[in-house]
Amino acid sequence: MSRRPFAAVLAANTVSIAGSSLTLIGVPWFVLQTTGSAGRAGVVAFCATLPVIVAALVGGPVIDRIGRRRVSAASDLICALSVGSIPLLQHAGVLEFWMLCALMAVGGLVHTPGLTARGVLLPSLAEHAGTTVGRAASLYDAVSRGARMIGAALAGVLIAAFGAESALLVDSATFAVSALLVTAFLRGVPAAEPQPAAGKMSFAGYRAELAEGWTFLTRTRLLAGITLMVMMTNGLDQGWSAVLLPVHGREALGGATAVGLLVSLFGGFALLGALLYGAWGERFSRRTVYTAAFVLCGAPRYVVAAFTDTPLPLAVTMALSGLGAGVLNPILSSVIYERVPDELRSRVAGVTTAGCELTMPLGGLAAGLLADGIGVTGALLLFGGTYLLATLAPLVFPAWRTMERAPEPAPEPAPEPARSFGSADSADSVDVSRTEPAPPGSARAATAPRPSAS
């Protein structure tokens, strides 16, 4: 047994996610500073997140064939180039709006496969480290939240002191460090290397593997319900993180430093929530804790922001919301690891990630248009009301009661013809609920349902 691969993935995620938090705040601030338009900030968010859906949907089978280590490293290197090019082009005086949108789209396209590649390794790395998947998932999520907390605070300081371009340059460097860690320390881990294929690649075989993931998801009502619920909340949270919070911060809260501290406060309490759940959470009903936590981390932020123009009330709300958000990933990770067979995790992860992030492009775009059209206050209230309705789903639909039961036998995938794209023995795992906003252009949403609260 060796803990080095697991420690390397934790370190890579820490560095990468901290850097992504810089972009999370830096890109909207950069757009607002250079254009003054909330609508354009929404357009950038749309361009950054639309490719994420494509990457998540088609990436699952490809990740196993190329190898998770290679995919993760290549993803980080390309993201480093795309993010780093923005301030360099701006400094040269040649950056145009369409270039910014294109660079963010490239980052969105390649970043999700990299996160997925690391996330689906979690069960194998936990076994190597001699720990349980539940504990590994809690630690994985806690470290990620701590990184977001540090990155958000650093973003506010960097932007206030040196401008938004400095935050993007630091993010570019963090991607490069993450790629180096994964390349160096995951070498030789069997699950991180290319999985043996049954034959030559073919479109028919590739389509069959995607169909396996889709079939499993639709036949498992609880996973389908989670995906639909998180799809709604992720879209709303993308509007919050990419447009509404930056615009509100610029107009009423005093600038980028306040926004960075608010996001950092949320991340710090989310870390505390994850640690508390890891210690005592399994003693309580999953569905009850999940529902209460989601209600707490969702609508209150929007409502309080709509009626306050000072940081303190929103800071208290963000702290409580973060505490609720922290318990979501461990719960959803456990549910998904229990129900998805090892050999289907990458494929199910790709389908669920694509589903959960389907509304994210529209969320950012809608927030920008609404903020320009009816004002930030109206947009916040509309988003908050919709969020509240979405988080009540576990109390309404019977499928959510199965969160408490021992998992039923996994539904058998439909028989398929002999495939030539690859085999079904691509083992891996699923990263789950993202209770942090997807950084524009680096949606970090690893795999499976990942609520995005900010």
Side-chain angles (χ1 to χ4, degrees), residues 85-102:
S85 296
I86 296 171
L88 295 178
L89 291 172
Q90 174 71 4
H91 181 72
V94 297
L95 181 68
E96 297 186 19
F97 185 70
W98 70 266
M99 295 179 185
L100 174 62
C101 292

Side-chain angles (χ1 to χ4, degrees), residues 96-168:
E96 297 186 19
F97 185 70
W98 70 266
M99 295 179 185
L100 174 62
C101 292
L103 288 169
M104 297 305 294
V106 169
L109 182 66
V110 300
H111 190 54
T112 292
L115 284 172
T116 301
R118 291 196 293 271
V120 296
L121 279 171
L122 194 57
S124 298
L125 296 178
E127 184 178 355
H128 275 283
T131 188
T132 65
V133 173
R135 290 178 181 175
S138 294
L139 182 58
Y140 188 88
D141 186 59
V143 168
S144 298
R145 294 183 187 284
R148 291 186 181 101
M149 175 184 65
I150 295 170
L154 180 60
V157 173
L158 283 175
I159 293 171
F162 304 107
E165 294 92 337
S166 64
L168 302 184

Side-chain angles (χ1 to χ4, degrees), residues 25 50 54 107 121 229 290 317-318 347 384 442 453:
I25 299 173
L50 184 62
V54 178
L121 279 171
M229 177 179 175
Y290 174 86
T317 307
M318 291 286 277
R347 294 164 217 176
S442 54

